[in-house]
Amino acid sequence: DLVALAAADLDLERDAEVAERTRIERGRLTLLDRVRACGSVVEVSLLGGGLHLGVVVDADDDWFLLGPPGTEGSRQQHLVRVAAVASVRGLGGGAQTAASALPPRTVASVLRGWCRDRTEVVVQMLDGSAVDGLPASAWADHLEVATGRGPAALPYAALASVSRRLPG
C-alpha cells in the first residue's frame, strides 16, 4: 500500500508541475502572439467603436493586418494597432511568437506602401471619429491624409485602424 501511495503522490506532483509550467508558458504569451497564430476569420472590436472582420495576413510588434474574410463580401484590408483593440473573437488556442532576425516593421512602413498605391483609406481614430481620404505621406510619427477639407495630420498614437479597399 505504501508503494502505491508513493506512486500516486509522484503522479500528483508531476501533474501539478505540468499544470504550473503550462500556466507560466501562457503567462508569457501576448494577444498578438495568439492573433499571429490564428488562421481563421477573427472579429476585432476597437476602442472608441468600430469592428473589423478578416484573416490575419501580417503582423509585427504593435500592429496586425487583416485581409478579406473570404471570397465573397468585402475586399478590404485593415491595419489594426494592437493598442486600439478592445476585444478579439475567433482566436484558437494556439500562439506564435515573432521569430524574425529582421528589425520590426512599423505602422509607418506599411502606410508608406499604401501612400504609394494611392488608394483611398478610412482611418478610425481612438476617440471613435473617422477620417477618410487619400493617404499623402507617412511620417515618423503621423500619417497625413488629403481630405475634402484639406490635409489632416493624424498621429499614429491616436489611430485605431486604417482600412483600404483592395485593387481589382
Side-chain angles (χ1 to χ4, degrees):
D1 285 342
L2 288 176
V3 172
L5 282 175
D9 281 347
L10 282 174
D11 286 345
L12 285 175
E13 274 185 44
R14 190 174 19 253
D15 290 347
E17 184 176 339
V18 167
E20 180 63 14
R21 286 182 184 202
T22 301
R23 282 190 291 275
I24 289 169
E25 183 63 29
R26 281 190 173 167
R28 292 182 181 136
L29 298 173
T30 66
L31 175 64
L32 190 55
D33 293 333
R34 294 190 64 205
V35 167
R36 272 190 194 99
C38 187
S40 60
V41 175
V42 294
E43 177 184 281
V44 179
S45 296
L46 303 174
L47 298 172
L51 181 72
H52 296 305
L53 291 172
V55 177
V56 178
V57 294
D58 198 1
D60 218 307
D61 286 350
D62 63 348
W63 58 269
F64 57 93
L65 185 64
L66 294 176
T71 55
E72 70 279 339
S74 174
R75 296 276 309 144
Q76 289 189 329
Q77 282 185 320
H78 308 284
L79 177 68
V80 179
R81 289 189 51 253
V82 174
V85 172
S87 68
V88 181
R89 295 184 190 274
L91 292 175
Q96 176 183 340
T97 58
S100 174
L102 298 173
R105 288 178 46 211
T106 63
V107 168
S109 67
V110 175
L111 292 175
R112 273 192 290 277
W114 290 18
C115 289
R116 281 190 305 270
D117 293 348
R118 308 290 294 163
T119 306
E120 288 210 21
V121 296
V122 176
V123 181
Q124 184 74 36
M125 306 301 289
L126 283 175
D127 68 1
S129 65
V131 177
D132 61 331
L134 200 60
S137 300
W139 300 80
D141 64 348
H142 67 284
L143 174 67
E144 188 169 284
V145 177
T147 71
R149 296 177 23 205
L154 310 172
Y156 297 137
L159 304 182
S161 69
V162 182
S163 302
R164 72 171 181 164
R165 185 164 299 285
L166 291 171

